Amino acid sequence: MGFGAIPELPVEFGELSRVAQELRDRAGVLPGVGAEAASTWDGLEAVYQAPEAEELIAKMRSLVLVSADVGGALVRAADIMDQLADDLMWLAMRRRGLVDDAEEFSSAARGVEDPERASELEVQIERFAAAVQERLDQARSDLDAIAPPPPWEVAIPDASPPPLGPRLTWSARTQARADDMVLVPLFALARADTSRVARLLAAHPEWAELLRAYPPSPEVVRAWWDTLPPGTVAALIDGAPVLVGALGGVPPLDRVAANRVSARARLREVEDELPGWERVLQEGASADLQAERRAKRDALRAERDYLRSVDAGDVQLYLYEPADNRIIEMFGTPGPGTTRVLTYVPGTFTRVDSFYRGEVQSISQWMTDQESGMVAFVWKGADFPGDDQYPGQAGFGIGLLEANDPDRAAPAGEALARFQREVSSDPSLADGLQFAVGHSWGLVPITASEMHGARYAQVHSLSGAWVPDGWAPHSSTSYSHWSYTDALSMAQDGMLVNAGRAPDSVSAFQSHLYERKTDAEVPLGGDLAPFLDPDGPSLRVSLSPLANHNLIAGVSGDNIGPLNDLRKKIYE
C-alpha cells in the first residue's frame, strides 16, 4: 500500500518576485534614458549639413518610442512572473497540506491496509502535479506571446507599435481560478476535528493572512459551506473562530457563533485583568494618574459587560476584530421572513469601545423592533476618523481633520461594498430590500460604496457630512437627508466641509430640516455693513450644536418626529 512522491515546486516563488521587480525597475528607467539619448542629437543639423543628417535625427528621436516599447514588454513579463509567483505560493501551501495528510496517513496506518485512503491521496497528488505543470506551461505560453518591439530602423514616429496584448495582473484572473486557490486551506481545515483545526492554524498562520488578503467570493464560500456536515461546521466554528467569524459567505448565524467563541476567549482575559486594576486604584497616586487608572478600569468593565452579553447570545457579532478596530453588530434573525436589511454606519470618533458603551446601536435596534422582517447591522468594518484615540482636544481636532479628508472615502467605501455584497448574496438576506443609513461621516462610506458597486433601495443621511467627489446617484435609489441645525450643518453652510458637497446641497437628496427651540436666525447685514448686504440672507445657527448633531442619531423622545418619518419612509 502506498502512493507516489509529492513533487517539489521547480521554481522558488520568492525568486520570481525578485526578478519581476528587477524587470520593473529596468522598465522604469528606459523612457528617461531613451529621451536623454535622443535629445543629445537635436542640435546635429546646426553643425552637420549632410543628406543623411535628417534621417539620422529622425531615427534617434524614434528611440523614445522604442524604449517605451521595450519597457512595456518588460512590465508585461514582470506581470506574468508576479502572477506565477502568486500561484506558486498557493500551490506551495497546497503541497504542504498534502505532505501533512500523507504523514498523518502513514503514522495512523501503522501497517494496516487502507487502499481507499491511499488511492484518494494518490489522486490528490496527481492533480497537484498536473496543476503545477499546467501553471508553468501557461506562464511559458504567456511569455512567448509577448510581441517583440519593432526594429529601431523602422520605428519611426508615425509608425504604430505592435500591441503588447492585455496585461496579466491578479485582478485580471478569473474569479473561479482565484477561488480554487484560496479555498485550499479551507479544504484542509474541513478535514480536521476541532483540536486539529486549531493546531493547523497555529502551524500555518499564513493561511489566515492569505485568506484575508485575497478573500474568496462569498458565493463560492457559501456553496462550499453548505456541503459541510454539521460536525465539520462545529469543528470549524470552535477551532477557527477568528477565521470563520470574518469569512464572507459563511452564513450570518454561523459567523455570530464563531465570534461568540472569540468573544468568550477575550472575556476570560478581561476578567483576569480587571482585579489588578481594582487593586491598583487603592494605591496612592497623583490625581491625573488615578484618573487614567479609573478610565482603564471603567473601559474594561464596559468591555466585560458587553462580552458577557455576547456570550449569553443577547448581542450578535457578525464581525469581531477588536485588535484591528473593526466590529459589526447584527440585530434581528436572518431567514426566509427577512424583508428588509438595514446597514447603519455611525460617524466620526466611532471606535470598538463605542459598541461596548452602547453609543451607536440605538437606530438599528429601534428599527428592528418596528417589524419582525427587519435585519439591521451596525457597521464599523474600516478605519474611521478619530478612532485612534489621540488624547484630549488634540484628538478631537485630529478627528475632525480626518473626517474632512477625501482620501478616506475610497478604502472605507470599498470595505462597505464588500460587506454589502456578502449580505446581498446570502440566501437568508438576499430577498430583503437593502437600506443604508449614515450618521455624520457615516454617509461618506455609504456613498463611496456605491462607487464600488454597492446598491441600495434607499440611502438616508442623518446629518450626513459629504459625498465623495465623482459620486453620482443611482437611478433606482431614493436619497433622503434628515437633520437639525447643528455644528455640522453650520460648518457646511460656511463651506468648511469638503468643498461644499453636503447632502442638503446635492439635488439627489430630499432634505428634511427640523426646528428646535435653541435655533436662531442671524442676519448677514446690519452692523456688518457695508461688508455684507443688510438686506441679504441670514445664517441659521443653534445654541446646542453638538447636542443636536447627536440627537438625530438617537431614539429619545425629543427625536421621535424624525424617527417616525424615517420609519415611514423605510416601511413605505
Side-chain angles (χ1 to χ4, degrees), residues 70-284:
V70 174
L74 291 177
V75 169
R76 173 135 167 80
D79 285 341
I80 293 170
M81 289 189 179
D82 268 340
Q83 177 183 343
L84 178 60
D86 285 342
D87 285 349
L88 288 180
M89 180 169 57
W90 289 108
L91 287 168
M93 191 169 64
R94 182 174 167 184
R95 183 184 185 278
R96 186 179 299 178
L98 283 173
V99 170
D100 289 344
D101 286 348
E103 290 176 350
E104 182 181 10
F105 172 75
S106 299
S107 175
R110 299 183 183 277
V112 178
E113 292 292 326
D114 189 353
E116 183 176 346
R117 178 57 178 149
S119 177
E120 179 184 343
L121 283 172
E122 181 68 27
V123 169
Q124 291 178 8
I125 293 170
E126 290 175 356
R127 288 176 178 173
F128 169 75
V132 172
Q133 190 59 50
E134 177 187 356
R135 188 61 199 88
L136 292 174
D137 290 344
Q138 182 63 51
R140 293 189 187 100
S141 175
D142 291 338
L143 288 170
D144 290 341
I146 298 178
W152 184 7
E153 287 75 15
V154 299
I156 58 176
D158 293 334
S160 298
L164 291 174
R167 291 172 59 179
L168 291 176
T169 62
W170 178 270
S171 62
R173 302 177 190 186
T174 63
Q175 186 66 51
R177 183 167 180 82
D179 286 337
D180 286 344
M181 300 299 250
V182 175
L183 287 173
V184 168
L186 296 179
F187 294 154
L189 292 172
R191 293 196 298 267
D193 58 20
T194 299
S195 60
R196 185 161 183 261
V197 166
R199 290 198 304 272
L200 279 172
L201 282 178
H204 305 290
E206 72 278 6
W207 288 5
E209 290 301 318
L210 290 169
L211 282 165
R212 186 171 181 175
Y214 306 107
S217 68
E219 296 86 354
V220 169
V221 170
R222 182 54 183 260
W224 164 72
W225 190 267
D226 286 345
T227 67
L228 301 177
T232 300
V233 168
L236 288 171
I237 288 173
D238 291 335
V242 175
L243 189 153
V244 172
L247 186 59
V250 172
L253 293 178
D254 287 340
R255 286 184 61 162
V256 167
N259 287 317
R260 185 181 300 125
V261 175
S262 297
R264 189 178 299 133
R266 173 58 185 159
L267 174 60
R268 289 193 291 267
E269 295 174 355
V270 172
E271 290 178 333
D272 288 343
E273 188 177 352
L274 254 175
W277 288 99
E278 299 285 5
R279 287 192 300 271
V280 80
L281 273 171
Q282 306 304 317
E283 302 172 358

Side-chain angles (χ1 to χ4, degrees), residues 366-417:
W366 190 84
M367 281 295 175
T368 54
D369 290 342
Q370 307 308 303
E371 184 180 290
S372 60
M374 169 73 80
V375 172
F377 296 90
V378 185
W379 184 87
K380 190 197 180 306
D383 292 334
F384 274 39
D387 68 357
D388 39 16
Q389 303 190 45
Y390 285 103
Q393 292 299 314
F396 183 78
I398 290 171
L400 294 181
L401 289 174
E402 290 177 344
N404 213 25
D405 181 1
D407 292 338
R408 283 183 167 264
E414 188 175 358
L416 182 55

Side-chain angles (χ1 to χ4, degrees), residues 520-528 532-534 536-540:
E521 296 281 342
V522 177
L524 300 180
D527 294 338
L528 298 179
L532 296 171
D533 182 3
S538 60
L539 178 66
R540 190 176 183 86

Side-chain angles (χ1 to χ4, degrees), residues 372-453:
S372 60
M374 169 73 80
V375 172
F377 296 90
V378 185
W379 184 87
K380 190 197 180 306
D383 292 334
F384 274 39
D387 68 357
D388 39 16
Q389 303 190 45
Y390 285 103
Q393 292 299 314
F396 183 78
I398 290 171
L400 294 181
L401 289 174
E402 290 177 344
N404 213 25
D405 181 1
D407 292 338
R408 283 183 167 264
E414 188 175 358
L416 182 55
R418 285 197 301 270
F419 166 77
Q420 200 269 345
R421 179 185 175 187
E422 294 174 10
V423 169
S424 60
S425 66
D426 186 89
S428 65
L429 298 169
D431 293 335
L433 291 173
Q434 300 287 329
F435 300 85
V437 179
H439 175 232
S440 189
W441 184 83
L443 179 64
V444 177
I446 291 173
T447 47
S449 74
E450 293 183 290
M451 301 172 72
H452 289 276

Side-chain angles (χ1 to χ4, degrees), residues 260-483:
R260 185 181 300 125
V261 175
S262 297
R264 189 178 299 133
R266 173 58 185 159
L267 174 60
R268 289 193 291 267
E269 295 174 355
V270 172
E271 290 178 333
D272 288 343
E273 188 177 352
L274 254 175
W277 288 99
E278 299 285 5
R279 287 192 300 271
V280 80
L281 273 171
Q282 306 304 317
E283 302 172 358
S286 67
D288 288 344
L289 182 56
Q290 284 292 78
E292 291 178 9
R293 291 172 173 175
R294 191 173 296 107
K296 177 63 177 177
R297 189 271 316 270
D298 292 345
L300 285 172
R301 283 180 173 179
E303 184 179 6
R304 176 200 62 191
D305 295 344
Y306 183 80
L307 295 177
R308 284 177 175 175
S309 296
V310 175
D311 189 29
D314 299 326
V315 171
Q316 302 180 99
L317 293 181
Y318 182 84
L319 178 70
Y320 178 61
E321 295 181 335
D324 295 318
N325 220 345
R326 290 194 288 265
I327 186 171
I328 301 173
E329 190 170 334
M330 183 177 76
F331 294 86
T333 304
T338 301
T339 57
R340 290 172 174 82
V341 180
L342 183 146
T343 300
Y344 175 78
V345 184
T348 307
F349 303 113
T350 298
R351 308 180 179 100
V352 169
D353 56 11
S354 303
F355 287 74
Y356 301 160
R357 296 192 297 267
E359 296 174 350
V360 294
Q361 297 100 315
S362 58
I363 291 290
S364 293
Q365 177 70 74
W366 190 84
M367 281 295 175
T368 54
D369 290 342
Q370 307 308 303
E371 184 180 290
S372 60
M374 169 73 80
V375 172
F377 296 90
V378 185
W379 184 87
K380 190 197 180 306
D383 292 334
F384 274 39
D387 68 357
D388 39 16
Q389 303 190 45
Y390 285 103
Q393 292 299 314
F396 183 78
I398 290 171
L400 294 181
L401 289 174
E402 290 177 344
N404 213 25
D405 181 1
D407 292 338
R408 283 183 167 264
E414 188 175 358
L416 182 55
R418 285 197 301 270
F419 166 77
Q420 200 269 345
R421 179 185 175 187
E422 294 174 10
V423 169
S424 60
S425 66
D426 186 89
S428 65
L429 298 169
D431 293 335
L433 291 173
Q434 300 287 329
F435 300 85
V437 179
H439 175 232
S440 189
W441 184 83
L443 179 64
V444 177
I446 291 173
T447 47
S449 74
E450 293 183 290
M451 301 172 72
H452 289 276
R455 293 293 175 261
Y456 309 97
Q458 297 177 11
V459 168
H460 295 277
S461 158
L462 301 183
S463 188
W466 47 276
V467 301
D469 189 22
W471 172 85
H474 195 265
S475 58
S476 64
T477 304
S478 170
Y479 298 87
S480 301
H481 174 67
W482 317 82
S483 180

